[in-house]
Structure formats: structure tokens, C-alpha cells
Amino acid sequence: MTLCIRCGKLRILDKTWKEQIGLSLVTYTSTICPDPVCQKAVETILKDRHDVNDARMKASIKRRTENRKRGMEVRRAKNRVDLYLK
């Protein structure tokens, strides 16, 4: 078992389920904090972490797309200058 990330209490088993993924049978186990107030706080903390990570990924993809566009524009401009100078 694991400890709660907020209060340090031993987490309890919430539910277990199995899923077939391709050729493998995967068993999932969900654990929760025994204190319901603490569990709600943990869920909020994890949601905030997920939102921050999601925002970082979206910003990274946006920057990557802009950098590719900018690189293409620079290459096109350079090719036009090269053609003009010939």
C-alpha cells in the first residue's frame, strides 16, 4: 500500500478492475485516503498538477508550431534572395 501525499495516512483500497488491452490483461487498482476531506483536497491538488502540465504541453506545442513556421519563412526568404542574386 501507499501513503497519502497530503496527510501521510495509509491509503485504502477503493476499487480494482481488469481490462484487456491487446493481448495483455491489465489489473487496475484505485486507492484513496481514508479521510474524505483529505481525499477531496488530494483530488484538487492532482487536478491542479494535471492542469499545469496540460497547459505546459499546449504551450510547448504552440511554440514548436510557431518555430517551424518561422523557420519555413526564413528558408523561403533566403531562397528568394538567392534567386535574386543569381
Side-chain angles (χ1 to χ4, degrees), residues 6-23:
R6 187 168 174 269
C7 67
K9 293 179 185 174
L10 190 62
R11 296 174 62 86
I12 57 175
L13 184 65
D14 181 34
K15 61 182 173 179
T16 302
W17 68 98
K18 296 180 181 185
E19 287 184 19
Q20 187 77 29
I21 299 179
L23 298 176

Side-chain angles (χ1 to χ4, degrees), residues 45-82:
I45 291 168
L46 294 177
K47 183 184 177 310
D48 291 344
R49 286 182 185 177
H50 179 268
D51 292 345
V52 167
N53 189 29
D54 193 39
R56 284 181 183 159
M57 285 295 263
K58 287 180 181 177
S60 174
I61 291 169
K62 183 179 176 185
R63 281 193 312 272
R64 203 175 315 155
T65 304
E66 290 172 356
N67 287 340
R68 286 181 184 156
K69 265 188 198 175
R70 201 169 328 147
M72 285 176 42
E73 291 171 359
V74 167
R75 284 192 298 277
R76 285 181 185 159
K78 184 178 177 185
N79 288 340
R80 285 188 208 131
V81 168
D82 289 344

